[in-house]
């Protein structure tokens, strides 16, 4: 880190100073301030000097420079400590907190805003909408809280007049899931009275100067703050009030305030402003004019939504319950009325502020959180609380604020100084003890039971009778007179800087502060007439009613005395310190360089005083004499064991300490470390940086190795599962096969005894492995079923059956009716019933042809009609034998006109209709077309199927049928393995397609 900034900017870490003296410390602080380096480290503590100007060191590029980097890798910056706290929270799942301390005007509020902005910028990389919503509410809440909780003081234009501690909750991914805000001791007395040159809370001026005309008209307000007593003192113009009001209105809507709630907020502010006019001083004016003005504006105009008569009585009278249960009304005098009015104004604003904080908490709190489902919920706390204050007139508020700073200083001493030295002693590390001031004695002076100042104040408040501030001061003088850090004018009469019976002084760690005891008891009692509480509780405005739950009690109801303001504040601060003590702290120590808010002036005396009371010099000495980093051996080994061959993946040494020594010796860092009883102590950050660099280089290799091992394990697990699956599948397949066999056997057991031999039995669906086997089985069954039918057919009918089967196979269902349902005669020309006139003559001719051509049998004979080339039809006879195809002329005693060898026929074409046309195709392309005549036996019988069947049956046996082809309305049957398309023969010739049509029409 020191190498990143040149020596001209001074030392970026005070630990690197040549000598730890106040002079060198201040010289280095001044040099860095003048060079624009407002941040400096003390180890892990950031010292911040208010530059009183805008600086370009907070942009996105700077955020990226610090994201994920170690604290010592970059120059000092708020982002470095914010990132360190975030990494510690995310890496070790440990709650952390960032404590921002310093006096008023040192820049604590701005530091807290930059830290919040950095955390918002580095989280939620996936841009999830719900996380973005939480981040927006957390950021916008700062704007609202500043408006209602900050004010201009003589030291600071934007001074926090309340303490704020915000917890930000993160999920296991490191994304913010919600948060919670605690507010401490709002300086409500500022509502009714401010010191000269100061202003009331920002919210009043923002609504007056920034509110729209319609809003101001509805609230009955004038735009000039000088018109109202509570804002007249700070009525000087401000250019930011109008812009800030718009920002606050937008922030309220983003957070989730409804329009009705926002309206109620500004009605309450208006009510407070209307409570008093700066021109009304006399009692009669106040009682008469103020009451009527307030009633007309606040009662009748519904700003408070209360009954006018009830409001009048509350302002002018006080209801008191006597011991006997009687209720009486007591009229106010001027002092009582003024006191009641101011108390009411302060209580209204205080409860409004508390309600706003509670409303924000209800929006940002983590909802439906379940550790089992959502993982560990870790927290980063950000504390922005009022700084140490020394004014010309210090009252009860300054007393509480300075007590709070004493508690935070004690925490700093406890965690940074004393615990560190105690740890060195506990671990047996050689150590030179550093002297430092322990402010426990001052804390005890304020909060010790029965002896502390708060106990004395409470005792005075509880004492019956007239107890004044002076009496209380006398009591403190008696009980605390011997305390070395307490004094008063009575105890030290020569000190004329204090007034008799008014002032007392406490020697704080940050310097001596003189307090005026006037008003201490009233502010500690914090009384408010019960009439005001009941009035607000009975309001019809739900927001007002919610703010005053204690107004529900009756006037005669006896209640327990409430705790005093000092005790409540003490308890809350103790709880805050306990909350911070259980987290890993990171500190931002803010320093105010001058009193005139100059960006050039560095007031040595003023800054030296702050350095002294903040204990920064002691912090440097402790850090310089000590070690920058310490870690238990087991945790150090777990993080860095991969950087040493003797410790990865697991060491075999006697203890974790020996393994850690092996890591340190291998890297040559033995001169920069010390070994405690349970921890390793590293002196310089450079050693740790080197280890982190080497670890970062090895992580990808280890990740790949782990991925390889895990992927192998996953592959083996998957392989075993697959093997098991395959085994189950194999057995299941066997079962399915057997089950199919069993089912087939069950269904077909009695098919022999069935009339249809099981044709009506439905086959079960086979498993995928048996599909082919199932088809073969079905084929075998059909063959068996056919055999059962055929074996009962007489041998004389078998030729006809074979012919029909051949026709069925050849026609393939393309022809609907092909005469399968009738007996086939084959030789129709020789049948006397079909051809009574020519049968005798035909029989004679066939005998002659048989003797001549030596054929064995007649396959088919029939009268046909032919079409010649001149479109003339002629009656002929067709005779098909096992040797030839004859075309005969019936009128010339069946003279042979054409003889075609059967082996020259290559195909037969028929139509798919009911006509009787047949085309015979020959190898020599001497084809002819005939139309079969039905004869007299049966005028409607189809003979095409019979001719095709007998023809194909003969050719199957002799030439082997190759295939059949369907084309449009024509069926072509190819023989001898020769492949013809469906347009062979007549269709190949020009006009034959039309010829078919004309032939069909002609026939």
């Amino acid at each position: 880190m020191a190498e990143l900034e040149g020596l001209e900017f001074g030392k970026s870490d005070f630990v690197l100073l040549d000598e730890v003296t106040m002079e060198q410390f201040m010289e280095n602080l001044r040099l860095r301030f003048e060079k624009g380096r407002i941040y400096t480290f003390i180890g892990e503590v950031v010292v911040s000097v208010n530059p009183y100007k805008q600086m370009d060191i907070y942009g996105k590029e700077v955020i990226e420079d610090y994201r994920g980097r170690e604290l010592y890798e970059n120059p000092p910056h708020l982002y470095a400590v914010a990132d360190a706290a975030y990494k510690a929270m995310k890496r070790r799942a440990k709650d952390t907190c960032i404590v921002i301390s310093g006096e008023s005007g040192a820049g604590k509020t701005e530091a807290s805003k930059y830290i919040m902005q950095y955390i918002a910028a580095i989280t939620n990389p996936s841009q999830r909408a719900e996380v973005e919503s939480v981040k927006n509410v957390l950021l916008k809440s700062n704007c609202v809280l500043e408006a209602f909780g900050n004010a201009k003081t003589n030291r600071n234009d934007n001074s926090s007049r309340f303490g704020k501690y915000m917890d930000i909750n993160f999920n296991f991914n490191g994304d913010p899931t919600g948060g919670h805000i605690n507010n401490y001791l709002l300086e409500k007395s500022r509502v009714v009275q401010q010191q000269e040159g100061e202003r009331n809370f920002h919210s009043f001026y923002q609504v007056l100067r920034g509110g729209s005309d319609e809003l101001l008209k509805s609230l009955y307000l004038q735009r000039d703050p000088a018109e109202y007593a509570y804002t007249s003192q700070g009525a000087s113009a401000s250019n930011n009030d109008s812009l800030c009001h718009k920002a606050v209105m937008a922030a309220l809507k983003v957070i989730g305030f409804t329009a009705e709630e926002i309206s109620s907020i500004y009605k309450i502010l208006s009510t407070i402003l209307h409570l008093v006019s700066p021109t009304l001083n006399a009692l009669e004016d106040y009682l008469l004019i103020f009451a009527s003005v307030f009633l007309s504006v606040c009662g009748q105009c519904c700003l408070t939504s209360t009954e006018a008569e009830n409001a009048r009585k509350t302002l002018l009278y006080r209801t008191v319950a006597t011991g006997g249960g009687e209720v009486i009304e007591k009229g106010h005098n001027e002092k009582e009325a003024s006191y009641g009015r101011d108390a009411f104004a302060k209580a209204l604003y205080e409860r409004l502020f508390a309600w706003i904080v509670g409303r924000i908490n209800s929006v940002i709190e983590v909802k439906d959180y379940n550790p089992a489902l959502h993982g560990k919920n870790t927290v980063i706390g950000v504390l922005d609380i009022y700084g140490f204050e020394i004014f010309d007139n210090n009252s009860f508020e300054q007393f509480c604020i300075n007590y709070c700073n004493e508690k935070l200083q004690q925490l700093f001493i406890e965690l940074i100084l004393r615990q560190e030295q105690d740890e060195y002693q506990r671990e047996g590390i050689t150590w030179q003890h550093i002297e430092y001031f322990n402010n426990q004695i001052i804390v005890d002076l304020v909060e010790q039971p029965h002896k502390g100042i708060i106990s004395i104040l409470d005792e005075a408040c509880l004492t019956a009778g007239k107890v004044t501030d002076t009496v209380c001061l006398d009591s403190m003088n008696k009980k605390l007179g011997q305390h070395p850090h307490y004094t008063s004018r009575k105890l030290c009469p020569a000190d004329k800087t204090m007034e008799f019976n008014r002032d007392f002084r406490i020697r704080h760690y940050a310097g001596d502060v003189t307090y005026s005891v006037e008003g201490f008891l009233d502010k500690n009692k914090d009384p408010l007439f019960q009439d005001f509480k009941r009035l607000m509780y009975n309001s019809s405005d739900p927001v007002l009613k919610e703010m005053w739950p204690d107004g529900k009690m009756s006037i005669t109801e006896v209640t327990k005395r409430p705790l005093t303001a000092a005790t409540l504040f003490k308890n809350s601060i103790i709880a805050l310190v306990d909350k911070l003590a259980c987290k890993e702290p990171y500190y931002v120590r803010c320093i105010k360089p001058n009193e005139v808010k100059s960006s050039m002036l560095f007031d040595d005396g003023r800054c030296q005083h702050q350095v002294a009371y903040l204990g920064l010099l002691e912090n440097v000495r402790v850090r310089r004499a000590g070690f920058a980093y310490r870690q238990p051996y087991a945790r150090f080994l777990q993080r860095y064991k991969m950087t040493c061959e003797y410790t990865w993946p697991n060491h075999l040494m006697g203890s974790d300490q020996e393994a850690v020594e092996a890591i340190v010796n291998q890297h040559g860092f033995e001169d920069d470390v010390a070994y405690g009883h349970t921890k390793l102590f590293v002196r310089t950050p450079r050693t740790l940086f080197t280890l982190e660099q080497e670890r970062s280089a090895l992580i990808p290799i280890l990740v790949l190795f782990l991925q390889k091992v895990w992927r192998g394990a996953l592959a083996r697990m998957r392989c075993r599962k697959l093997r098991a699956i395959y085994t189950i599948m194999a057995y299941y397949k066997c079962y399915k096969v057997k089950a199919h066999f069993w089912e087939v056997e069950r269904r077909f057991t009695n098919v022999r005894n069935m009339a249809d031999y099981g044709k009506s039995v439905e086959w079960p669906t086979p498993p995928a492995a048996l599909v082919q086997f199932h088809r073969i089985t079905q084929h075998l069954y059909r063959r068996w079923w056919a055999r059962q039918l055929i074996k009962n057919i007489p041998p004389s009918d078998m030729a006809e059956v074979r012919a029909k089967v051949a026709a069925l196979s050849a026609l393939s269902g393309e022809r609907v009716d092909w005469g399968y349902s009738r007996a086939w005669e084959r030789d129709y020309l020789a049948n006397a019933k079909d051809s009574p006139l020519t049968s005798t003559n035909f029989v004679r001719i066939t005998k002659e042809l048989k003797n001549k051509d030596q054929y064995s049998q007649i396959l088919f004979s029939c009268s046909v009609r032919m079409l010649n080339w001149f479109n003339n039809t002629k009656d002929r006879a067709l005779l098909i034998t096992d040797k030839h195809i004859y075309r005969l002329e019936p009128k010339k005693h069946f003279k042979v006109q054409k003889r075609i060898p059967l082996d020259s026929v290559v195909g037969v074409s028929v139509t798919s209709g009911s006509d009787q046309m047949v085309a015979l195709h020959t190898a020599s392309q001497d084809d002819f077309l005939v139309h079969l005549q039905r004869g007299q036996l049966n005028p409607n019988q189809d003979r095409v199927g019979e001719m095709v069947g007998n023809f194909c049956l003969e050719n199957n046996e002799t030439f082997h049928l190759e295939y059949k082809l369907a084309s449009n309305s024509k069926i072509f049957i190819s023989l001898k393995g020769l492949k013809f398309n469906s347009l062979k023969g007549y269709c190949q010739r020009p006009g034959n397609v039309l010829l078919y049509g004309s032939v069909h029409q002609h026939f």
Side-chain angles (χ1 to χ4, degrees):
M1 175 203 65
E3 299 169 359
L4 298 177
E5 291 187 328
L7 293 177
E8 68 271 18
F9 300 111
K11 302 294 179 63
S12 57
D13 193 329
F14 287 110
V15 175
L16 303 176
L17 291 175
D18 297 331
E19 295 182 13
V20 185
T21 62
M22 180 61 77
E23 291 74 15
Q24 284 207 13
F25 189 100
M26 294 304 301
E27 181 62 29
N28 189 62
L29 189 67
R30 171 199 285 273
L31 176 61
R32 290 184 63 78
F33 173 75
E34 292 174 349
K35 295 290 185 179
R37 298 301 193 266
I38 61 173
Y39 299 119
T40 313
F41 280 142
I42 303 178
E44 294 181 351
V45 176
V46 175
V47 179
S48 170
V49 183
N50 192 342
Y52 287 118
K53 64 180 179 180
Q54 293 293 327
M55 302 191 69
D56 188 22
I57 56 173
Y58 305 103
K60 292 182 179 179
E61 297 81 5
V62 181
I63 290 176
E64 290 301 320
D65 290 341
Y66 284 86
R67 181 199 294 264
R69 311 294 291 182
E70 295 299 329
L71 191 69
Y72 39 80
E73 290 185 56
N74 285 320
H77 201 287
L78 283 175
Y79 291 166
V81 71
D83 195 80
Y86 179 75
K87 285 201 303 287
M89 178 273 300
K90 191 173 180 181
R91 287 177 179 175
R92 303 197 296 271
K94 182 169 181 146
D95 293 343
T96 60
C97 65
I98 302 174
V99 180
I100 307 171
S101 58
E103 69 175 49
S104 179
K108 300 185 299 300
T109 300
E110 290 299 310
S112 69
K113 287 195 288 189
Y114 286 128
I115 289 172
M116 290 285 293
Q117 290 173 5
Y118 180 81
I119 294 174
I122 65 172
T123 54
N124 193 30
S126 59
Q127 296 295 305
R128 288 190 298 143
E130 61 272 19
V131 178
E132 286 298 308
S133 175
V134 171
K135 287 163 51 175
N136 287 337
V137 172
L138 290 173
L139 292 176
K140 294 297 183 182
S141 64
N142 279 329
C143 174
V144 176
L145 294 179
E146 281 189 24
F148 289 88
N150 289 21
K152 177 186 180 301
T153 65
N154 291 323
R155 294 188 173 188
N156 185 2
D157 290 342
N158 188 31
S159 177
S160 296
R161 305 320 300 163
F162 73 106
K164 181 184 71 174
Y165 174 74
M166 176 182 287
D167 268 333
I168 309 173
N169 298 85
F170 296 83
N171 60 15
F172 68 97
N173 284 331
D175 293 331
T177 58
H180 186 82
I181 300 172
N182 293 95
N183 64 297
Y184 302 94
L185 191 67
L186 177 72
E187 189 188 19
K188 60 182 180 181
S189 61
R190 180 171 293 272
V191 175
V192 299
Q193 184 180 5
Q194 306 94 41
Q195 294 192 32
E196 186 177 354
E198 297 187 349
R199 293 204 318 175
N200 207 327
F201 291 99
H202 293 327
S203 56
F204 293 106
Y205 304 94
Q206 289 174 4
V207 68
L208 291 175
R209 291 199 174 102
S212 64
D213 293 337
E214 293 78 7
L215 176 63
L216 295 181
K217 184 178 180 181
S218 66
L219 299 176
Y220 296 89
L221 292 176
Q222 302 296 321
R223 197 168 290 279
D224 185 5
E227 294 291 326
Y228 305 98
Y230 292 156
T231 56
S232 58
Q233 185 169 325
S236 58
S238 173
N239 296 328
N240 294 328
D241 287 331
S242 179
L243 295 176
C244 289
H245 176 72
K246 295 178 181 178
V248 170
M249 292 292 286
L252 288 171
K253 294 176 182 177
V254 170
I255 293 172
F257 285 81
T258 65
E260 292 75 14
E261 290 172 337
I262 296 174
S263 176
S264 295
I265 290 172
Y266 286 105
K267 284 181 180 179
I268 294 172
L269 291 180
S270 175
T271 299
I272 295 173
L273 292 175
H274 283 301
L275 275 173
V276 65
S277 171
T279 60
L280 302 181
N281 296 317
L283 173 61
E284 58 273 17
D285 289 340
Y286 176 78
L287 293 178
L288 298 177
I289 301 176
F290 161 69
S292 62
V293 170
F294 178 76
L295 290 176
S296 64
V297 175
C298 300
Q300 297 173 4
C301 294
C302 302
L303 291 181
T304 57
S305 299
T306 56
E307 295 292 336
E309 181 61 23
N310 293 338
R312 186 188 68 82
K313 289 183 178 180
T314 303
L315 291 167
L316 302 180
Y317 299 92
R318 179 184 177 190
T319 306
V320 180
T322 62
E326 184 181 355
V327 177
I328 60 175
E329 288 184 352
K330 178 184 177 183
H332 287 315
N333 57 32
E334 180 183 2
K335 183 177 180 181
E336 290 172 342
S338 299
Y339 176 84
R341 174 201 63 199
D342 291 344
F344 180 46
K346 291 186 291 183
L348 261 180
Y349 197 82
E350 180 186 38
R351 298 201 183 203
L352 171 63
F353 185 77
W355 179 83
I356 291 174
V357 173
R359 184 70 178 81
I360 295 174
N361 284 335
S362 68
V363 174
I364 64 175
E365 67 182 358
V366 181
K367 301 175 180 66
D368 302 325
Y369 171 70
N370 186 344
L373 296 177
H374 306 118
K376 179 175 173 57
N377 186 357
T378 47
V379 168
I380 292 181
V382 180
L383 177 65
D384 172 21
I385 205 162
Y386 15 60
F388 195 88
E389 294 184 344
I390 306 176
F391 295 136
D392 294 336
N393 180 24
N394 300 288
S395 187
F396 181 77
E397 290 81 11
Q398 282 66 48
F399 170 75
C400 293
I401 288 171
N402 293 341
Y403 159 67
C404 172
N405 280 270
E406 291 284 359
K407 290 291 289 185
L408 293 177
Q409 177 67 8
Q410 186 190 34
L411 178 67
F412 178 78
I413 292 171
E414 194 70 27
L415 296 178
I416 300 299
L417 302 179
R418 192 175 77 186
Q419 280 189 8
E420 183 150 345
Q421 297 194 88
D422 290 347
E423 184 177 36
Y424 294 147
Q425 186 176 4
R426 191 168 56 249
E427 290 289 331
I429 301 296
T430 303
W431 171 260
Q432 181 180 0
H433 185 73
I434 304 299
E435 294 295 334
Y436 58 89
F437 172 68
N438 190 340
N439 71 329
Q440 180 64 49
I441 187 173
I442 304 175
V443 173
D444 290 340
L445 168 66
V446 177
E447 70 176 17
Q448 190 174 15
H450 309 298
K451 297 181 181 179
I453 295 176
I454 292 178
S455 295
I456 296 173
L457 287 174
D458 288 352
E459 183 180 349
C461 292
L462 297 175
T463 302
K466 189 70 173 178
V467 179
T468 63
D469 296 324
T470 304
V471 173
C472 181
L473 179 61
D474 290 338
S475 179
M476 286 192 291
N477 290 333
K478 292 177 183 177
K479 295 184 178 181
L480 304 173
Q482 302 302 316
H483 198 284
H485 289 270
Y486 174 87
T487 186
S488 68
R489 182 66 183 273
K490 183 176 181 180
L491 298 175
C492 187
D495 189 351
K496 295 184 179 180
T497 59
M498 293 183 288
E499 293 289 335
F500 278 109
N501 299 324
R502 191 192 74 178
D503 297 338
F504 69 93
R505 180 177 297 155
I506 297 178
R507 188 176 300 167
H508 287 283
Y509 78 97
D512 297 348
V513 182
T514 301
Y515 299 98
S516 172
V517 78
E518 291 179 353
F520 258 58
L521 290 183
D522 283 341
K523 291 178 180 180
N524 190 38
K525 290 179 182 177
D526 194 21
L528 178 66
F529 298 147
Q530 186 71 19
D531 302 77
F532 288 106
K533 299 178 182 179
R534 286 195 297 274
L535 177 67
M536 294 295 99
Y537 178 77
N538 292 321
S539 170
S540 59
D541 187 331
V543 174
L544 263 177
K545 188 179 184 71
E546 184 181 348
M547 293 179 191
W548 299 83
D550 45 353
K552 184 178 181 180
M553 295 181 293
S554 171
I555 188 61
T556 59
E557 186 175 351
V558 179
T559 60
K560 184 179 179 180
R561 185 186 295 270
L563 295 177
T564 61
T567 299
L568 288 172
F569 182 70
K570 179 189 73 172
N571 295 340
S572 64
I573 294 301
I574 292 174
L576 170 65
V577 171
D578 292 341
K579 185 180 293 187
L580 295 175
C582 67
K583 295 178 173 62
E584 183 174 329
Y586 292 83
Y587 284 90
V588 178
R589 310 292 258 173
C590 298
I591 292 178
K592 185 177 182 179
N594 56 75
E595 290 291 344
V596 294
K597 304 172 187 177
S598 170
S599 61
M600 304 297 294
L601 179 62
F602 186 86
D603 188 334
D604 276 306
R606 191 79 185 84
C607 293
Q608 184 171 331
H609 173 71
Q610 296 173 73
V611 169
Y613 79 67
L614 287 173
L616 300 183
L617 211 58
E618 291 85 349
N619 192 7
V620 174
R621 292 193 180 103
V622 170
R623 178 62 66 175
R624 187 183 178 93
F627 298 85
Y629 177 81
R630 74 285 317 273
Q631 194 71 273
Y633 291 121
R635 186 174 294 174
F636 183 90
L637 182 63
Q638 182 68 28
R639 184 163 184 82
Y640 300 111
K641 64 181 181 179
M642 71 283 296
T643 64
C644 178
E645 58 181 327
Y646 303 110
T647 57
W648 177 259
N650 294 302
H651 69 86
L652 300 176
M653 302 177 190
S655 64
D656 288 346
Q657 181 176 349
E658 294 180 20
V660 170
E661 291 180 8
I663 296 174
V664 172
N665 294 335
Q666 178 168 321
H667 292 86
F669 297 146
E670 55 271 14
D671 295 334
D672 198 44
V673 302
Y675 299 98
H677 299 312
T678 63
K679 294 181 180 180
L680 173 72
F681 291 80
V682 181
R683 188 175 301 278
T684 62
R686 178 60 56 185
T687 297
L688 192 65
F689 181 38
T690 304
L691 286 171
E692 282 289 335
Q693 281 185 321
E694 186 167 347
R695 179 180 182 273
S696 298
L698 289 172
I699 285 295
I701 301 173
L702 297 179
V703 168
L704 289 176
F705 173 74
L706 293 175
Q707 287 178 342
K708 179 185 72 173
V709 173
W710 179 238
R711 284 171 179 165
L714 290 177
R716 286 187 289 272
M717 291 166 58
R718 186 182 179 195
C719 182
R720 286 193 293 270
K721 290 180 180 179
L722 287 176
R723 286 177 179 174
I725 290 171
Y726 288 147
T727 302
I728 294 171
M729 289 172 61
Y731 278 96
Y732 183 69
K733 286 179 180 179
C734 290
Y735 163 76
K736 293 289 286 184
V737 169
K738 291 179 181 180
H740 181 70
F741 289 156
W742 296 333
E743 182 64 19
V744 171
E745 181 182 7
R746 184 186 67 80
R747 294 188 183 190
F748 288 87
T749 298
N750 297 319
V751 293
R752 290 181 181 272
N753 302 325
M754 295 181 182
D756 60 352
Y757 297 104
K759 185 178 180 181
S760 60
V761 176
E762 184 179 354
W763 285 79
T765 303
L770 291 179
V771 171
Q772 185 176 359
F773 177 80
H774 183 71
R775 287 197 296 265
I776 297 172
T777 305
Q778 284 183 317
H779 179 67
L780 291 175
Y781 165 74
R782 293 189 188 102
R783 290 176 64 90
W784 173 85
W785 177 80
R787 175 60 184 161
Q788 298 305 309
L789 297 179
I790 292 173
K791 72 180 182 178
N792 296 325
I793 299 175
S796 59
D797 295 339
M798 287 304 296
E800 181 180 344
V801 171
R802 289 191 181 94
K804 289 183 177 180
V805 171
L808 175 66
S809 177
L811 297 174
S812 293
E814 294 288 341
R815 191 174 177 90
V816 179
D817 183 15
W818 45 274
Y820 61 88
S821 61
R822 63 177 180 83
W824 286 359
E825 298 292 337
R826 285 197 181 190
D827 194 359
Y828 289 98
L829 292 176
N831 192 323
K833 294 181 180 181
D834 191 73
S835 305
L837 300 177
T838 61
S839 59
T840 303
N841 195 20
F842 179 77
V843 171
R844 180 180 60 80
I845 295 301
T846 56
K847 287 180 180 180
E848 293 176 1
L849 290 174
K850 184 175 184 181
N851 292 332
K852 181 180 180 180
D853 293 336
Q854 299 296 315
Y855 64 81
S856 300
Q857 61 176 339
I858 296 174
L859 300 180
F860 183 77
S861 69
C862 176
S863 297
V864 298
R865 182 168 292 173
M866 297 186 64
L867 184 70
N868 62 14
W869 292 105
F870 304 102
N871 204 18
N872 295 324
T873 60
K874 295 181 179 181
D875 291 330
R876 297 289 185 266
L878 178 67
L879 172 62
I880 302 175
T881 68
D882 57 357
K883 295 288 187 179
H884 296 88
I885 299 176
Y886 301 92
R887 189 173 70 191
L888 306 176
E889 174 135 15
K891 293 181 179 181
K892 295 182 179 182
H893 304 287
F894 293 100
K895 180 182 177 181
V896 176
Q897 284 190 334
K898 191 172 185 179
R899 178 187 286 108
I900 301 173
L902 191 63
D903 58 0
S904 69
V905 177
V906 296
V908 180
S909 294
V910 300
T911 65
S912 59
S914 60
D915 55 67
Q916 300 293 299
M917 286 189 295
V918 177
L920 297 176
H921 309 288
T922 65
S924 62
Q925 296 190 357
D926 187 16
D927 306 343
F928 62 92
L929 179 67
V930 298
H931 187 278
L932 304 184
Q933 301 299 305
R934 291 186 172 90
Q936 298 181 12
L937 184 63
N938 188 345
N940 295 321
Q941 68 183 190
D942 184 290
R943 294 183 179 180
V944 172
E946 184 176 357
M947 190 209 80
V948 170
N950 285 291
F951 191 87
C952 290
L953 179 63
E954 182 65 23
N955 278 276
N956 279 338
E957 295 174 354
T958 307
F959 304 109
H960 306 293
L961 179 66
E962 180 71 17
Y963 69 92
K964 54 185 179 295
L965 175 66
S967 175
N968 296 331
S969 63
K970 185 179 176 189
I971 304 170
F972 172 71
I973 303 168
S974 173
L975 308 175
K976 292 186 177 181
L978 301 176
K979 297 182 180 179
F980 294 86
N981 61 33
S982 62
L983 301 180
K984 271 291 184 183
Y986 284 91
C987 295
Q988 269 188 329
R989 297 168 186 166
N992 274 358
V993 174
L994 294 178
L995 180 62
Y996 269 121
S998 62
V999 169
H1000 184 268
Q1001 292 174 1
H1002 188 84
F1003 285 126

